[in-house]
Amino acid sequence: MPLLSGSSSESLSSEQQIESLRQQLNDHNYRYYVEDDPSIPDAEYDRLMRQLQELEARYPELQSPDSPSQRVGAAPLPAFTQVTHRVPMLSLDNAFDDEEFRRFNQRVKERLKTEDEIEYACEPKLDGIALSIRYERGLLVQAATRGDGSTGEDITQNVKTIGSVPLRLKDADIEGGLPDVLEVRGEVYMPKAGFEKLNKAAAEADEKVFVNPRNAAAGSLRQLDSRITAKRPLEFCAYSVGEVSDGFMPERHSDVLQKLSGLGFRLNPELKVVTGVQGCLDYYRDLGLRRDQLAFEIDGIVFKTNRMEIQSALGFVSRAPRWAIAYKFPAQEEITKLRDVEFQVGRTGAITPVARLEPVYVGGVTVSNATLHNADEVARLGVKIGDTVIVRRAGDVIPQIVSVVLERREGNHDLKDIIFPATCPVCGSETERAEGEAVVRCSGGLVCAAQRKEGIKHFASRKALDVDGLGDKLVEALVDKGLVSSLTDLFHLNVDDVAALERMGPKSAQNLLDALQQAKHTTLPRFIYALGIREVGEVTAKQLAQHFCDLAVIRNATEEQLLEVPDVGPIVAHHIVTFFRQAHNLEMLDALLAEGIEWPEIEAQPSAEELPLAGQTLVLTGTLNQLKRNDAKAALEALGAKVSGSVSKKTQLVIAGEAAGSKLTKAQELGIDITDEEGLLALLHEHGKL
């Protein structure tokens, strides 16, 4: 697009170009940040932005505060100014168990003098920073933090850099046009993926990393230089309004949010309206189960009476509304003391420091141990034995220390450095740390009892040879009694020796021996996974088997040949080649095959592009009666499909079993094709997967 200058007619032409570019960029911003459905590549977006910036630089009289170019940040401020909220930003009362929530609901009904069930708007409580954004006649004029509820800080320049915050409101679907004044309230947060990327970059640059996404969001918003904020992966999600012109407010809170969506704001995809206590508790439990799979951190659920007239009737008490409550999840972070550090040896020889903590209740359980990962992590944290630390546990994730409370060190004279052992704590072999690796390893290999035990446990595990009855404690007993010192020893056990072990008997022993014989009939992917090659997980083992079809070919493959396999990079390829070059591993492999371990031959698979469901995204939901969920997923993936855990506009088909819930509802709302289990079976039968 040529840049014009000179006469008034040329200036008018440039004005039209600028408006056109602004409209295009605003539309692309909305599709990218709000709808998660970009229509152009990043490079094309960048070209449009450069054209706009060049035109605005050529014609400064045409610059506008609502231009998309303003998102790049401005010169640093000397300090933040104070903002008084015309409508106070109230906090919420909390509930921490079902009974407290039931009492809240009962208070609502008593004040309303009704026995009818209450309709509630439910949404996740994002773990971010509350924000108020003021629009006048559709233009963003001010953004402020919550502060103490009455007074916050003016962070307008920083907020303008957030892509999901509209600089100018959309008005295409708003009856009666835009309100003169609209104050939109919501949460600024940093998605998990963006947080991890930000911390990774900081660690590589030897800079300080953030403790959690909330701290990262808060630190990003309070930058005096908004150009720094512009580089941070922040999002804004609207959840209510403050001051607003008459005539804007619908009768239900959920309708208010939909109206905000029409103006260009992102809403939380988990928003839902339910009726009564049980509906709320079901929603709470559902989100609690899916909490770790969400793209953002949440620390509870906010429940608001949905009808605005009820909110008005209930009013406020102190600094909190009577018509809303936050039902908090168990805390994922708590403070405790690091008593000691012990070192554990894994099946690959990795020596992991394990923190022994003063027991603390976090993430729904009492935690007394936490991982410190490796020597680099210990150095990054700067942690010492005796420190006061913050420990985090999210869902099933192993608890970990995320930071040291440095102000608690003053006066503590009992601190000790964490020193990794020079010899293995199990077998006494020398430890080593390869150049470029963070992990310290035992060099003992199979002579190390810890590695031997863990190797056997892995070999017999469910995703490997799946030896029924051979659990961790039994493996430890077999090794400790000297009955098993290698993988092949498993197939030479006798009934009497096994029966003599604690909690075993002749029948249990015979069942184990039968299970070991049955485990000899396996699949090539399972066998490869069972070998315990470093970095070769279940998916990689499957890819190797499907690509090469034969173990002998894999044994002799070069790193270059291995790099042709999907999911195999240079590091994994190196580990595979190294494994098959070591004489003791080849001896073990030949010995296992000599015991009669076998699997069906694998036929060469068509390329991914040739598979019948290539490029399609499917979602399984509800209960399947004739197929196990994992079997159905594996069969669909074998046909080239991507099986996702959530429904979006990119989903081609939803397979709904019995009692399908919110995913089915969302698919219906989006007009996505839906089939049932019979349709799934017909699809698999058509393509020879049944």
Side-chain angles (χ1 to χ4, degrees), residues 80-85 89 143-155:
F80 294 119
T81 58
Q82 299 294 300
V83 172
T84 300
H85 299 298
M89 294 186 71
T145 61
R146 179 181 178 277
D148 63 4
S150 298
T151 305
E153 291 180 318
D154 187 335
I155 54 171

Side-chain angles (χ1 to χ4, degrees), residues 647-654 663-674:
V647 177
S648 72
K649 292 182 178 180
K650 297 180 181 179
T651 305
Q652 276 78 37
L653 177 66
V654 170
K663 293 177 186 177
L664 175 59
T665 303
K666 187 169 183 179
Q668 291 168 334
E669 292 172 351
L670 294 175
I672 294 168
D673 288 342
I674 299 168

Side-chain angles (χ1 to χ4, degrees), residues 22 25 35 65 88 190 216 273-274 303 332 365 518 546 679:
R22 287 173 179 169
L25 287 165
E35 294 188 330
M190 188 174 290
V273 175
V274 303
F303 297 102
Q332 290 187 304
V365 299
Q518 179 64 35
Q546 289 180 344

Side-chain angles (χ1 to χ4, degrees), residues 87-244:
V87 176
M89 294 186 71
L90 301 172
S91 57
L92 293 173
D93 286 335
N94 295 320
F96 294 96
D97 56 40
D98 290 2
E99 185 54 37
E100 287 187 8
F101 181 78
R102 292 181 190 279
R103 289 200 294 269
F104 160 76
N105 180 71
Q106 187 58 37
R107 289 194 299 271
V108 168
K109 294 172 74 170
E110 288 174 355
R111 288 192 175 96
L112 295 175
K113 296 181 172 56
T114 182
E115 290 300 319
D116 295 339
E117 295 287 6
I118 305 298
E119 185 180 76
Y120 287 101
C122 322
E123 58 193 278
K125 187 177 183 296
L126 292 166
D127 196 10
I129 309 301
L131 191 67
S132 179
I133 309 176
R134 184 180 179 85
Y135 291 85
E136 294 180 0
R137 291 174 292 282
L139 294 181
L140 192 161
V141 296
Q142 188 179 75
T145 61
R146 179 181 178 277
D148 63 4
S150 298
T151 305
E153 291 180 318
D154 187 335
I155 54 171
T156 306
Q157 286 191 20
N158 290 343
V159 171
K160 280 186 173 183
T161 70
I162 301 173
S164 48
V165 173
L167 302 178
R168 177 193 291 270
L169 299 179
K170 293 163 63 73
D171 60 0
D173 302 320
I174 300 300
E175 184 177 348
L178 295 171
D180 288 340
V181 174
L182 175 61
E183 189 183 343
V184 179
R185 289 174 176 180
E187 200 87 357
V188 172
Y189 63 98
M190 188 174 290
K192 294 176 183 176
F195 170 73
E196 291 169 2
K197 185 177 180 180
L198 178 67
N199 263 358
K200 182 180 178 181
E204 290 174 350
D206 201 25
E207 298 173 352
K208 182 180 179 181
V209 298
F210 290 100
V211 174
N212 54 46
R214 187 184 188 281
N215 286 359
S220 300
L221 276 183
R222 299 202 76 257
Q223 294 290 329
L224 291 173
D225 187 347
S226 61
R227 292 169 296 188
I228 297 176
T229 309
K231 298 176 182 178
R232 301 286 173 80
L234 298 174
E235 298 287 355
F236 176 75
C237 202
Y239 59 61
S240 69
V241 296
E243 183 182 8
V244 61

Side-chain angles (χ1 to χ4, degrees), residues 510-568:
Q510 187 59 55
N511 287 342
L512 174 63
L513 268 57
D514 292 343
L516 283 162
Q517 293 305 309
Q518 179 64 35
K520 291 181 179 180
H521 308 289
T522 185
T523 66
L524 180 55
R526 281 180 173 271
F527 184 71
I528 295 170
Y529 175 69
L531 295 176
I533 304 170
R534 285 183 62 192
E535 304 291 343
V536 176
E538 184 185 10
V539 173
T540 303
K542 183 178 179 181
Q543 298 280 21
L544 287 167
Q546 289 180 344
H547 184 85
F548 292 108
C549 302
D550 191 293
L551 181 62
V553 180
I554 299 174
R555 286 175 60 157
N556 296 307
T558 64
E559 289 191 24
E560 291 74 16
Q561 290 170 325
L562 288 164
L563 288 172
E564 296 175 4
V565 180
D567 197 48
V568 173

Side-chain angles (χ1 to χ4, degrees), residues 263-334:
L263 290 171
F265 290 95
R266 174 193 287 271
L267 303 183
N268 194 290
E270 301 293 341
L271 290 169
K272 190 175 182 181
V273 175
V274 303
T275 301
V277 168
Q278 195 56 50
C280 292
L281 296 181
D282 289 345
Y283 179 90
Y284 175 87
R285 279 185 255 284
D286 174 58
L287 261 292
L289 291 172
R290 295 190 289 114
R291 180 183 186 185
D292 297 318
Q293 283 73 53
L294 297 177
F296 39 80
E297 294 280 5
I298 62 174
D299 57 5
I301 305 296
V302 176
F303 297 102
K304 303 173 183 175
T305 59
N306 196 33
R307 296 191 65 86
M308 304 304 289
E309 62 185 39
I310 288 180
Q311 293 186 11
S312 298
L314 292 171
F316 306 87
V317 56
S318 183
R319 289 179 172 268
R322 291 193 179 100
W323 41 265
I325 196 166
Y327 188 170
K328 301 295 286 289
F329 289 130
Q332 290 187 304
E333 291 184 354
E334 277 295 353

